Structure formats: C-alpha cells, structure tokens
Amino acid sequence: MLRKKNSEPAQLPEARQELLGFESPAVQPGKKDPKQFLKHNWKKITAVVCVAAVALLLDQISKLWALSALSGGQSMRVIDGLLSFTLVRNPGASLGLGSNFTWVISILAMVACVVIVVLGLRTTSKAWAATLGCAFAGALGNLVDRVSYADGFLNGKVVDFIDYGWSVGNVADIFLTVAGVAIVAMILVNVPFSDEAQSAESVASAEASASASAASSAPSELESSEQGSKAQ
C-alpha cells in the first residue's frame, strides 16, 4: 500500500525561526520611539553636526580671507602651473554651469540640504554620518553665499578662489567632492546605512539559507517514502 506523500512544509530550526522573526517580537514592525532613537543614536547625530560645523566654518573663514586678500585682482601662486589663489565670483554651479539660473541652483541646494539632514537623522553608521556632514557643509556653504550676496531673488554669486588651472572652486566644493567619492566607495564595499538595512540583509540571507535547506531535504523525504512503500 502506497503512503501519501507528506505535504507539510519542512520545519525550520528554532534559531532560524527566531532570526526570521517568527518567534521574536523584536523584528516585528512597529512605531519608533523618538526618545529611544536619539538615546541610541546620539553619537552618530553628534558626528553629523560636528563634521558639518567644522567644515562650514573652514569654508566661510577661507572665503572671508579670499575676499580680503585677493580683492585687488592679484593672484597667489601655490604650485607653479597647478594651483593658485585667484578670486572669482561664480553665479553658476560647478564649471560655471547654469549661470543664468542662479535662483534655481539655490532652490536645489536648499532641497539637497533638507534631504541630507533627513538622511543624517536616519543613519546609524558613523562613516555615513561623517560623509553626510561633509555633504551638508558643502551644500550649505555655497548656499550661504547665494543668499548673503544676493541683490535679487537668491541670485548671489559664490566666492571661488582655489584655481586649479582648468577650474576655480572653494573649500565647500572640496567637501562636496570628498563626500561624493566616499558615498560611492561605501556603496561599492556595502557599508550598511543603518542597523535596519543590516538586519534586513541578515534576514534575507537566513531566508535563502532556510529555503535551500528545505529544498535539499525534500528529495530525502521522497526517497524515504518510496523505500517504505516498497517494504510494505
């Protein structure tokens, strides 16, 4: 007499069940407590604020120096043929792009600052926090110029003075570039943005492992069933 094949799904080990959240309420979705979030992430938030404050201060001090020391049109050589200090008032973005749409660039910079702040509050990674702090300082540093030196609607010109020969920039641009390179690098090496992202990756890995284990045990169960049928 043939036995009916067992159609019940293979039971997962208890450790895997807990990891997948079947028995542990800790991974179940729920509302976050802002106080608890700040309590556990104040170090990362402090890192964002400190990095942004220091970078912004360096940018603004360097621009004040450039306006004072280079306002007469003189140029200071730092490395012959490679680097010099020359004062330029740039109404556009990098390389002078968008010079006729300064107010649009200013609005985009405001949006970028808000997005960076939101991301900075959500991340639980020190590396991401420091990088976002650099990006915020760079975006805000140039935005301060567009607002402070405006004679119309957000049409102020950015103070550039670091002459590379092919382009003229400032300290804020350096921090933006560093942040951009760091973000790409962290994405490539898979640096987790938050604990939630890391937990989700662990759960996905556990699910894949559990599925593979269940699939490998299915042929054994079928073989055992067939052998039992032959014995009867």
Side-chain angles (χ1 to χ4, degrees), residues 163-188:
D163 189 352
Y164 303 101
W166 55 275
S167 176
V168 182
N170 53 43
V171 175
D173 296 333
I174 295 176
F175 282 114
L176 282 173
T177 302
V178 170
V181 172
I183 289 173
V184 173
M186 288 189 292
I187 291 175
L188 291 177

Side-chain angles (χ1 to χ4, degrees), residues 62-78:
S62 66
K63 288 175 178 177
L64 290 175
W65 170 83
L67 289 172
S68 175
L70 305 173
S71 59
Q74 64 270 32
S75 179
M76 294 184 181
R77 291 184 181 181
V78 180

